[in-house]
Amino acid sequence: MTKDIVVVGAGYAGISAAQTLAKKFKKDQDINITLIDKNSFHTYMTELHEVAGGRVESNAIKYDLQRIFKKYPKVKLVTDKVVSIDYDKKEVVAEHQTLSFDYLLLAMGGEANDFGTPGVKENGFTLWSIKAAERLHDHILESCQKAMDEHDTAKRRALLTFTVIGAGFTGIEMIGELVDWIPVLAKEFKLDEDEFSLKVVEAMPTILNMVTEKEQIKTRKYLEKKGVELILSDGVTSVDKDALNLSSGRVIPTYTSIWIAGVKANTDAADFEIEQARAGRLVANEYMEAKGKENVYVAGDLVYYEDPNKGGRPTPQIVQAAEQTGHTAAHNIIAAITGGEKHAFKGKYDGFMVSIGSKYTVAYVYDKFHVSGFVASAMKHFSNLLYFFGIRSFYNIGAYLRHEFFDIKHKRNMFGGMTSSKGNNLWMVVLRVYFGSMWLFEGIKKAFGLFGTDSWLGDKVVFPFPWLQAAEATSGASEAASETAGAAEGAAQAAHQVFSLNYTYGEEPMQVLKEMPDWFASIMKFMMSNQEVALFMQKMMTFMEIAIGLALIAGLFVWLVSALTVALVAMFSLSGMFFWVNMWFVPAAIALMSGAGRAFGLDYWVMPWVGKKLDRWIYGKPRHIYGLKK
Ligand SMILES: Cc1cc2nc3c(=O)[nH]c(=O)nc-3n(C[C@H](O)[C@H](O)[C@H](O)COP(=O)(O)OP(=O)(O)OC[C@H]3O[C@@H](n4cnc5c(N)ncnc54)[C@H](O)[C@@H]3O)c2cc1C
């Protein structure tokens, strides 16, 4: 009998669960898996502060679900907002459709918790969704724009005061982004950097309570050095449009109060008739089964489960817990369907890595390692990449590297912009045409046997490989040649016929390798075992060199062709057919791979066309709404 599994929420927990289910039921026609989310993309929540703080565009952290689920066609994607659950009819009710379920997993995440503090909703900013991050980003730009026109110094300073409430990892990551962004904003809006001010308000006497004192001290020092004011042991009583009021009686004039002091369960799930615990989280048992509901599971930030292995503390609202609870829920859905053994949840967390802007990170991992600075930043990027690797989303590994390293602006990455500084490809045109001409010239020389060399299109083997030359020498091809001239002499002669764009200037150029290494010789012997094959190969090589030359001059497939030339140079060198004087081919080819065909070259038109076609062919057309019948 057919069974319908519906997963609500394509966050870390929902994706982990849907992929686990899809792997298990890959070939099972009786199982339908639907993943429904209000967005057609997965929000990379852990980088929301980068959007809010102007480091990356918001598109950089929106990962299209169709791409993520390319390898899991079993999962049907639906874009819609779930509003209620009808347990009697076993239906998930969304704004535009109703989905039947036999097994339901709720993984709708969390939202900012303002604990009812007056004015937060009306006048404050939060950071728990892509929309919230975009709103905050736009507001900061708008404040700078207003400050630019503001003649009243006090008001201008208030416009340029940005206050984060909450010194947990999210709050510290947010203020870190602002530290990096202020100099950029000051320059762009022609404002005085000294008029900006950054503050963090925290009710506790310490910051970053999830890491050790070591990381806390380092973070404090770093932030204070950057001019951030840390206001500790002070709470917020209310948020006005133009001020933040603290329990101590202090009033901070500011138009930007960023509330990151707490997280609660997604309020969309508040009416799902499942028992709620602290901060509205839905209570589940160790199998992630919702309390009091059959075949309903909860995972991620939404679930409340007191983990006995962690001293009875509720599962933390972090990515690893989301993925692991998602996985446990999926496993137990599988067990329920197949009659297998249930798995109890067992949380295992590696620790925390807190990025404070793009160039500094503190980390405490595996309950013993304290890392900070460049290495910790590298670790954080690596763990982000590992996430995409884990969900088999190789496209997104490339996208992440592009957004974080190669396309980043204002030097806002751990390499200080070294990986993202861009030149004008126009300057590459000369190199491209010159490099192409070299290959074309070499190909033509080989084809016509110019400058006293033998034509590679004739019937004489020119490769200087001993086994071929020995055969040539003993085959009687040249009656006059002495039989005893032997292979060595033949090879020496032939060496002058090979890739010979060398400039002797009165001296013999130096070969990269005089003789082929044995391992390479055995490969070549296998590929070119006799003269017929060798003749075919040398003709092919001649045409290939002409084609490479023409492609480079025309700027067609320059990346591919340049990569091919590097491979050919390696092959020629190992064959004892290449000279050091031409080794510049390699750096030149690598330089041309940076898009040199797009400046006055055919790649300008061809590459976008090919990219689009390939993309559609592999992933299909990305859509803003999935699952709607046309
Ligand atoms: C700025 C920031 C930085 C963070 N940094 C870190 C970090 O460094 N390390 C770490 O471990 N954790 C970090 N976290 C916490 C981490 O992001 C969360 O724990 C994690 O996202 C929880 O995953 P989830 O799958 O439960 O929910 P989410 O990732 O929030 O996903 C919930 C999904 O449900 C969808 N949804 C919600 N309501 C509905 C509805 N009614 N109908 C349909 N779909 C719906 C949403 O669109 C979303 O896709 C950070 C969080 C923030 C905000």
Side-chain angles (χ1 to χ4, degrees):
M1 211 175 76
T2 312
K3 299 260 183 253
D4 293 315
I5 306 171
V6 176
V7 177
V8 185
Y12 299 89
I15 288 179
S16 149
Q19 291 194 345
T20 307
L21 291 164
K23 273 184 222 157
K24 174 67 190 173
F25 296 121
K26 194 173 175 186
K27 294 194 177 122
D28 194 332
Q29 300 297 324
D30 291 334
I31 304 289
N32 300 315
I33 305 167
T34 304
L35 176 61
I36 179 166
D37 195 288
K38 59 185 176 187
N39 297 316
S40 59
F41 52 84
H42 164 63
T43 304
Y44 204 63
M45 297 285 284
T46 59
E47 311 303 315
L48 276 181
H49 53 281
E50 294 190 13
V51 172
R55 186 181 347 170
V56 299
E57 302 286 327
S58 69
N59 268 345
I61 66 159
K62 292 176 183 172
Y63 291 97
D64 178 60
L65 288 173
Q66 186 172 260
R67 287 182 195 281
I68 292 179
F69 282 91
K70 167 69 194 159
K71 288 197 173 60
Y72 304 91
K74 183 84 190 162
V75 178
K76 187 183 163 216
L77 298 172
V78 173
T79 310
D80 207 343
K81 183 174 175 179
V82 171
V83 287
S84 64
I85 313 287
D86 187 329
Y87 295 102
D88 297 331
K89 290 190 188 162
K90 291 196 153 204
E91 281 177 352
V92 171
V93 183
E95 279 177 347
H96 302 96
Q97 58 215 300
T98 303
L99 305 171
S100 299
F101 71 86
D102 295 293
Y103 297 89
L104 173 64
L105 170 59
L106 301 171
M108 297 149 73
E111 60 186 49
N113 189 356
D114 63 14
F115 305 102
T117 311
V120 176
K121 269 192 192 69
E122 302 78 9
N123 306 315
F125 294 84
T126 58
L127 188 69
W128 219 270
S129 68
I130 191 79
K131 282 202 175 102
E134 286 168 347
R135 179 171 167 254
L136 175 56
H137 171 267
D138 294 350
H139 166 81
I140 291 174
L141 287 180
E142 202 185 310
S143 301
C144 290
Q145 184 64 54
K146 281 184 184 159
M148 210 180 159
D149 303 326
E150 183 57 60
H151 289 249
D152 180 278
T153 307
K155 186 164 182 200
R156 192 169 58 246
R157 282 181 182 269
L159 282 163
L160 299 178
T161 296
F162 305 117
T163 308
V164 169
I165 301 129
F169 65 81
T170 320
I172 294 298
E173 291 195 321
M174 184 64 234
I175 203 78
E177 287 309 314
L178 293 175
V179 165
D180 280 7
W181 202 16
I182 296 304
V184 179
L185 291 170
K187 195 169 168 208
E188 276 179 9
F189 290 91
K190 297 196 284 173
L191 291 160
D192 183 351
E193 210 175 311
D194 291 340
E195 289 199 333
F196 282 87
S197 87
L198 296 178
K199 301 182 196 303
V200 177
V201 177
E202 168 60 53
M204 308 267 288
T206 49
I207 62 168
L208 284 184
N209 290 316
M210 71 295 303
V211 288
T212 71
E213 203 184 345
K214 235 181 181 166
E215 286 73 43
Q216 294 173 0
I217 292 172
K218 281 186 176 170
T219 305
R220 281 184 71 148
K221 275 192 183 153
Y222 181 83
L223 289 176
E224 280 163 4
K225 198 172 115 200
K226 297 283 175 185
V228 176
E229 185 188 0
L230 295 171
I231 304 165
L232 306 179
S233 306
D234 207 348
V236 171
T237 51
S238 64
V239 178
D240 297 335
K241 190 170 179 286
D242 56 356
L244 185 65
N245 306 299
L246 306 186
S247 334
S248 60
R250 182 172 168 186
V251 176
I252 301 172
T254 175
Y255 289 81
T256 313
S257 297
I258 309 164
W259 186 275
I260 317 185
V263 52
K264 63 178 178 183
N266 186 331
T267 41
D268 291 349
D271 301 329
F272 287 180
E273 299 162 29
I274 297 173
E275 186 180 319
Q276 291 175 279
R278 202 186 310 157
R281 293 168 75 182
L282 309 187
V283 179
N285 62 14
E286 69 268 42
Y287 306 116
M288 297 300 123
E289 293 164 333
K291 192 171 175 190
K293 295 281 180 223
E294 213 181 319
N295 296 335
V296 179
Y297 299 74
V298 194
D301 279 3
L302 188 60
V303 73
Y304 185 87
Y305 167 63
E306 290 176 358
D307 190 348
N309 301 304
K310 302 280 173 202
R313 285 191 300 275
T315 48
Q317 286 164 304
I318 58 172
V319 169
Q320 281 194 314
E323 287 188 283
Q324 291 167 19
T325 50
H327 189 264
T328 301
H331 187 90
N332 290 323
I333 292 173
I334 293 168
I337 294 173
T338 61
E341 202 185 320
K342 284 189 193 180
H343 271 202
F345 175 77
K346 206 164 174 224
K348 191 175 167 295
Y349 316 120
D350 295 338
F352 281 92
M353 297 174 213
V354 187
S355 60
I356 310 162
S358 57
K359 295 180 192 76
Y360 191 69
T361 300
V362 293
Y364 180 61
V365 286
Y366 302 118
D367 281 334
K368 55 177 167 222
F369 298 114
H370 307 270
V371 196
S372 61
F374 185 86
V375 177
S377 297
M379 277 168 55
K380 177 133 197 193
H381 283 300
F382 184 70
S383 80
N384 287 342
L385 287 169
L386 220 52
Y387 170 70
F388 292 120
F389 191 76
I391 62 167
R392 304 283 179 272
S393 187
F394 301 109
Y395 175 89
N396 287 331
I397 291 180
Y400 181 87
L401 289 173
R402 247 192 347 270
H403 295 310
E404 291 287 337
F405 292 100
F406 305 130
D407 291 345
I408 210 89
K409 286 195 190 131
H410 309 298
K411 303 183 177 177
R412 291 177 71 181
N413 74 25
M414 56 185 282
F415 297 105
M418 293 275 187
T419 51
S420 55
S421 88
K422 296 240 185 320
N424 192 333
N425 275 332
L426 198 56
W427 305 116
M428 287 286 175
V429 177
V430 181
L431 177 64
R432 198 189 77 215
V433 173
Y434 178 68
F435 190 47
S437 308
M438 291 286 109
W439 282 92
L440 182 62
F441 169 77
E442 184 62 29
I444 290 173
K445 193 193 79 184
K446 285 186 174 114
F448 296 104
L450 303 179
F451 307 111
T453 58
D454 297 314
S455 166
W456 283 40
L457 301 181
D459 51 10
K460 182 167 187 252
V461 173
V462 293
F463 290 121
F465 307 149
W467 68 93
L468 295 173
Q469 289 300 323
E472 179 92 340
T474 52
S475 70
S478 165
E479 298 269 313
S482 150
E483 293 245 334
T484 52
E489 198 185 329
Q493 285 291 326
H496 291 279
Q497 307 250 7
V498 295
F499 204 97
S500 54
L501 274 177
N502 53 77
Y503 312 98
T504 42
Y505 303 124
E507 287 177 33
E508 276 297 298
M510 202 162 81
Q511 279 166 280
V512 177
L513 284 180
K514 266 207 153 81
E515 281 173 19
M516 261 192 274
D518 289 346
W519 64 268
F520 190 70
S522 52
I523 296 175
M524 294 311 276
K525 218 169 185 172
F526 175 75
M527 284 170 62
M528 260 187 257
S529 55
N530 58 47
Q531 296 219 331
E532 286 71 40
V533 182
L535 283 170
F536 171 77
M537 292 291 238
Q538 71 189 37
K539 287 182 181 123
M540 197 185 77
M541 191 64 73
T542 307
F543 290 123
M544 195 193 286
E545 285 179 11
I546 293 173
I548 287 173
L550 290 174
L552 286 170
I553 292 168
L556 182 64
F557 300 129
V558 171
W559 195 96
L560 216 61
V561 171
S562 300
L564 178 64
T565 64
V566 174
L568 286 177
V569 166
M571 201 179 80
F572 292 157
S573 301
L574 285 165
S575 311
M577 296 164 62
F578 205 76
F579 302 90
W580 280 112
V581 73
N582 284 328
M583 210 31 108
W584 65 269
F585 275 31
V586 175
I590 292 170
L592 293 178
M593 287 164 86
S594 64
R598 292 182 191 233
F600 292 102
L602 293 176
D603 279 352
Y604 176 81
W605 295 281
V606 175
M607 288 320 286
W609 183 82
V610 170
K612 194 170 156 192
K613 288 280 166 198
L614 263 181
D615 204 50
R616 296 284 154 91
W617 179 61
I618 299 173
Y619 297 107
K621 190 170 186 277
R623 302 231 302 267
H624 66 112
I625 292 175
Y626 288 118
L628 269 194
K629 291 175 197 81
K630 280 186 210 148

